[in-house]
Amino acid sequence: MLNQYPQAMTIAGSDSDGSAGMQADLHTFFTRKVYGISVMTACVAGNSYGIHASVSLPLDFIRQEFSDIAVDFQVKAVKTGMLADSALIKEVVKDYQ
């Protein structure tokens, strides 16, 4: 079933109320009949009133996410979201080449 749909990846943070970030990207993919794959970069605590805290995930964890996805999926498109700092941006560029 997986290979019946194009596969796209979101590289983004997790938004706790689901209105943005990875959750919104995956919902959009689903409505377009695209199988969504994700690399989580950060977690955000917030609600409709605002963002109250955020934490970036360690680069070694993000590297592992990329590695595990690469051996199992045929990603045809990538959408980026929350890339919190230059070290993370460089890691994403390096891992996805």
Side-chain angles (χ1 to χ4, degrees):
M1 181 172 127
L2 171 65
N3 291 319
Q4 294 177 359
Y5 299 97
Q7 299 166 23
M9 176 191 297
T10 177
I11 305 169
S14 173
D15 182 29
S16 59
D17 76 354
S19 65
M22 181 182 304
Q23 289 86 340
D25 294 344
L26 292 172
H27 177 75
T28 300
F29 293 167
F30 178 79
T31 62
R32 303 287 184 204
K33 297 188 186 320
V34 171
Y35 185 86
I37 298 162
S38 60
V39 168
M40 187 180 299
T41 61
C43 295
V44 173
N47 55 31
S48 62
Y49 296 106
I51 294 172
H52 304 113
S54 68
V55 62
S56 295
L57 294 175
L59 292 179
D60 61 333
F61 181 84
I62 294 169
R63 273 185 219 106
Q64 188 66 52
E65 289 181 285
F66 274 109
S67 177
D68 290 346
I69 288 169
V71 299
D72 196 24
F73 297 96
Q74 299 172 6
V75 176
K76 300 295 184 192
V78 177
K79 186 229 177 254
T80 59
M82 184 178 184
L83 302 177
D85 56 41
S86 61
L88 177 55
I89 293 168
K90 290 174 185 173
E91 187 64 38
V92 167
V93 169
K94 182 181 85 174
D95 286 338
Y96 199 71
Q97 289 184 3

